[in-house]
């Protein structure tokens, strides 16, 4: 097993600090050029759309981590209020909402419903911002970890990347099909290797190019829909895939599982080494809990594993992540 010495050698090799300037907060999204965006748009020929976001509801995958909960969705105005508002609203002077809403009702037939959602930004389909992960007091590009406070991330917040869309050419690498397993890559003792990423690309007849957003299908999300167990582990990317992503100048990586990388660390002395290498050293964002099942079926059917990917985050001021509903378009 690799140790922290091996980890540090790889970290030195893949670190992109200063590559796009000392004040850069975009990291590998810089690989997405205007030409790249135009190339991605040219892949839209059939008018097929695949929404890759999962449901944001109470039966989501959270629970395994005590510090994250499933989204709580609450109605704040609904049709059930109507009768009460008619009867008491106009006279309920200590409740300005009731007075206001009953005034709206009296003005004519128009009615409306409102709601809100309370959730960790990491609860379901999401981007991890570069401020999500740090070690040894430094974030990507050397920004101090202390710059993330209860007010949010001063540097590298998710709001900083809206200039990139985020959109590019997406490439799906289907490890379920490559491994020939029935539904998902279950064995965490067999993390997905760089050689397998190459093999999947070769078998699918697609080339991973600079500026691509790579989507890795492990089958985990489909498995979760079957058994509802958000804590069930499944194989993810081996930590050595960080170098593969670096060498291919990939813009971002996303997967259908909870952490992109393998849950069993391949480095003695740390958990989540690939998070550390990608988010903190390379400046590469992670997408997690993406539903790739329908897209994979279509790619297998038409033999096209490349598409336009449109995955803008919410511009949450100082957020260290964002919920998303990414769209793949062919
Ligand atoms: C951690 O669990 C720290 O991160 P993620 O949500 O990116 O897997």
């Amino acid at each position: 097993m690799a140790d922290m010495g091996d980890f540090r050698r790889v970290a030195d090799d893949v670190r992109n600090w200063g590559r796009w300037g000392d004040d850069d907060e975009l990291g590998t999204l810089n690989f997405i050029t205007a030409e790249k965006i135009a190339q991605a748009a040219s892949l839209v020929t059939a008018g097929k759309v695949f929404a890759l976001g999962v449901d944001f509801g109470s039966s989501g995958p959270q629970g395994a981590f005590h510090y994250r909960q499933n989204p709580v969705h609450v109605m704040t105005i609904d049709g059930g209020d109507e009768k009460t508002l008619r009867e008491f609203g106009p006279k309920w002077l200590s409740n300005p909402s009731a007075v206001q809403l009953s005034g709206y009702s009296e003005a004519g037939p128009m009615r409306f419903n409102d709601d809100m959602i309370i959730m960790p930004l990491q609860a379901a389909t999401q981007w991890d911002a570069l401020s999500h992960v740090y070690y040894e007091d430094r974030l990507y590009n050397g920004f101090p970890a202390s710059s993330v406070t209860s007010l949010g991330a001063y540097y590298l917040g998710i709001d900083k990347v809206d200039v990139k869309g985020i959109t590019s050419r997406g490439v799906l690498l289907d490890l379920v099909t490559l491994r020939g397993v029935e539904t998902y890559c279950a064995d965490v003792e067999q993390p997905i290797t760089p050689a397998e990423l190459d093999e999947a690309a070769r078998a699918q007849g697609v080339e991973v190019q600079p500026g691509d957003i790579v989507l890795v299908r492990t089958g985990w999300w489909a498995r979760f829909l079957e058994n509802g167990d958000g804590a069930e582990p499944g194989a993810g990317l081996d930590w050595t895939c960080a170098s593969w992503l670096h060498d291919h100048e990939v813009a971002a990586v996303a997967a259908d599982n909870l952490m992109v990388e393998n849950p069993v660390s391949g480095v003695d002395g740390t958990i989540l080494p690939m998070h550390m290498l990608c988010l903190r050293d390379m400046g590469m964002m992670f997408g997690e809990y993406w539903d790739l099942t329908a897209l994979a079926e279509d790619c297998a059917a038409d033999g096209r594993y490349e598409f336009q990917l449109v995955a803008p985050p919410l511009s949450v001021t100082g957020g260290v992540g964002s919920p998303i509903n990414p769209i793949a378009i062919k």
Side-chain angles (χ1 to χ4, degrees), residues 8-266:
R8 284 183 199 290
R9 274 187 290 281
V10 174
D12 289 344
D13 190 42
V14 302
R15 192 169 301 126
N16 283 323
W17 297 11
R19 182 170 182 166
W20 295 286
D22 290 342
D23 56 357
D24 175 59
E25 299 186 54
L26 297 177
T28 51
L29 293 180
N30 282 294
F31 289 129
I32 304 175
T33 60
E35 294 72 32
K36 189 78 203 174
I37 292 167
Q39 179 206 9
S42 74
L43 299 172
V44 179
T45 54
K48 290 190 276 189
V49 174
F50 300 88
L52 310 179
V54 305
D55 291 344
F56 284 72
S58 57
S59 57
Q62 299 308 324
F65 305 112
H66 298 291
Y67 48 88
R68 286 186 191 156
Q69 298 80 31
N70 284 313
V72 178
H73 176 227
V74 182
M75 298 306 294
T76 52
I77 300 170
D78 62 40
D81 297 332
E82 172 79 5
K83 194 169 166 294
T84 311
L85 285 172
R86 281 192 173 277
E87 194 172 347
F88 304 111
K91 300 174 288 190
W92 201 349
L93 299 183
S94 59
N95 187 337
S97 302
V99 174
Q100 191 171 45
L101 288 166
S102 60
Y104 293 160
S105 296
E106 278 161 20
M110 191 272 175
R111 304 286 181 267
F112 64 98
N113 302 306
D114 264 18
D115 52 0
M116 69 177 180
I117 189 162
I118 306 161
M119 58 174 280
L121 300 186
Q122 291 76 21
T125 310
Q126 54 141 328
W127 280 124
D128 280 343
L130 298 184
S131 45
H132 178 54
V133 164
Y134 61 98
Y135 65 93
E136 291 163 358
D137 295 330
R138 295 282 147 191
L139 297 154
Y140 165 68
N141 223 5
F143 292 116
S146 58
S147 58
V148 184
T149 67
S150 59
L151 298 177
Y154 181 76
Y155 295 110
L156 307 170
I158 196 72
D159 48 323
K160 300 292 175 58
V161 303
D162 61 356
V163 290
K164 281 293 179 185
I166 295 169
T167 182
S168 191
R169 173 180 182 249
V171 169
L172 177 74
L173 298 180
D174 186 348
L175 270 293
V176 176
T177 300
L178 182 80
R179 286 191 170 185
V181 289
E182 204 164 307
T183 47
Y184 87 120
C185 306
D187 190 351
V188 292
E189 298 306 326
Q190 290 204 348
I192 295 157
T193 63
E196 284 182 296
L197 297 180
D198 282 332
E199 226 182 301
R202 217 171 19 250
Q204 297 171 187
V206 70
E207 190 194 344
V208 174
Q209 299 164 355
D212 286 347
I213 297 176
V214 171
L215 313 186
V216 181
R217 178 180 176 234
T218 69
W220 189 89
W221 183 258
R223 171 73 178 172
F224 166 72
L225 291 182
E226 266 171 32
N227 69 4
D229 182 1
E232 182 171 16
L237 296 184
D238 186 64
W239 75 285
T240 54
C241 291
S243 297
W244 186 95
L245 295 164
H246 178 74
D247 294 347
H248 286 77
E249 299 191 337
V250 164
V253 61
D256 60 351
N257 62 10
L258 55 164
M259 56 178 74
V260 178
E261 72 176 292
N262 202 53
V264 177
S265 174

